[in-house]
Amino acid sequence: MSARQVARFWGVTPIAVRQASDTGLLTPHRTARAGAAEDADVVHYDADEVLEMGRRPFIDERHLVSAFDDWSVLFVQQAGPRWLHHTDDDFSWRTMWGWTAEASDEEKLLSASGWWPVDHRRRDGVRAIVSTVSSFVVTLAVVDPEQPVADERTDIGRVRFNVAPATEETTVGRALLAVFSGRRIPVKPGSNRLIPRPGGSALG
């Protein structure tokens, strides 16, 4: 299948398909064109893999509302390919951005943890961070609301959270696994807050 065919089937943009490919979530296959440069190879994808991924259901907002109260905030990290910051002096919001299938669990959590723009009035309501690639949920992180780390370099309210992987051992972890495991979140570029609000749009 071509990237455009995958995009139509998944209901995303070709850019999102490329992100899935670049992160290792989706396996690209390259076919050389006669007389063409290497970077001009035709990229295609295995139909069975594409169909299996595309059958994953979207989250059910009713389950989201029943699992979390409407004061809760869940951040959605729409992750592209991973890249690192190598110097302490580099002015950046995260020491690691993005996601890759080859990253360790610790690296995935580090990428999800911050720095997030948070209104101080809602800071204590942040319960979890959900990383997605091309709408597919890839990392579920539980936030410790008692230990946010504020960024003192600016006054725009960015915070890095201490996070742990979602497990069945905590109430929030169980809720995250029940609502998000093996599912998708509708892609809305630029949206990064998931609020369980009955009768309203969850992602905004």
Side-chain angles (χ1 to χ4, degrees), residues 105-123:
D105 291 342
E106 182 179 357
E107 288 176 320
K108 293 172 184 177
L109 290 174
L110 177 62
S111 175
S113 65
W115 300 86
W116 291 93
V118 187
D119 187 318
H120 70 276
R121 294 168 296 182
R122 300 300 300 272
R123 187 175 294 174

Side-chain angles (χ1 to χ4, degrees), residues 7-202:
R8 283 196 296 269
F9 181 71
W10 284 357
V12 299
T13 66
I15 292 175
V17 175
R18 187 162 60 248
Q19 287 178 337
S21 180
D22 291 343
T23 58
L25 182 67
L26 180 64
T27 306
H29 301 279
R30 297 181 180 275
T31 303
R33 288 177 176 170
E38 182 177 349
D39 60 0
D41 289 351
V42 176
V43 179
H44 55 96
Y45 303 94
D46 180 76
D48 289 338
E49 182 181 15
V50 171
L51 294 172
E52 184 279 326
M53 293 177 66
R55 292 189 185 107
R56 297 182 195 179
F58 286 96
I59 61 167
D60 189 321
E61 292 189 12
R62 295 171 299 176
H63 297 162
L64 180 67
V65 169
S66 63
F68 299 93
D69 59 49
D70 59 6
W71 176 248
S72 299
V73 176
L74 291 78
F75 283 135
V76 178
Q77 178 194 32
Q78 298 185 38
R82 181 181 61 163
W83 57 284
L84 305 175
H85 294 292
H86 298 290
T87 66
D88 293 336
D89 295 333
D90 189 6
F91 185 77
S92 59
W93 301 123
R94 295 181 177 95
T95 54
M96 187 182 111
W97 286 77
W99 187 91
T100 176
E102 297 178 354
S104 66
D105 291 342
E106 182 179 357
E107 288 176 320
K108 293 172 184 177
L109 290 174
L110 177 62
S111 175
S113 65
W115 300 86
W116 291 93
V118 187
D119 187 318
H120 70 276
R121 294 168 296 182
R122 300 300 300 272
R123 187 175 294 174
D124 292 340
V126 179
R127 296 286 177 260
I129 299 170
V130 181
S131 295
T132 69
V133 174
S134 306
S135 80
F136 297 94
V137 174
V138 292
T139 301
L140 296 172
V142 176
V143 166
D144 180 354
E146 302 299 323
Q147 298 182 12
V149 180
D151 182 11
E152 304 296 339
R153 295 173 295 186
T154 72
D155 59 358
I156 60 177
R158 290 190 181 256
V159 175
R160 177 174 63 81
F161 292 97
N162 288 308
V163 297
T167 68
E168 297 286 351
E169 298 176 4
T170 66
T171 301
V172 175
R174 287 193 296 273
L176 287 172
L177 292 169
V179 174
F180 293 100
S181 284
R183 291 180 171 83
R184 303 173 65 188
I185 298 177
V187 174
K188 294 183 179 180
S191 299
N192 63 3
R193 287 173 177 78
L194 193 60
I195 301 174
R197 186 171 296 143
S201 177

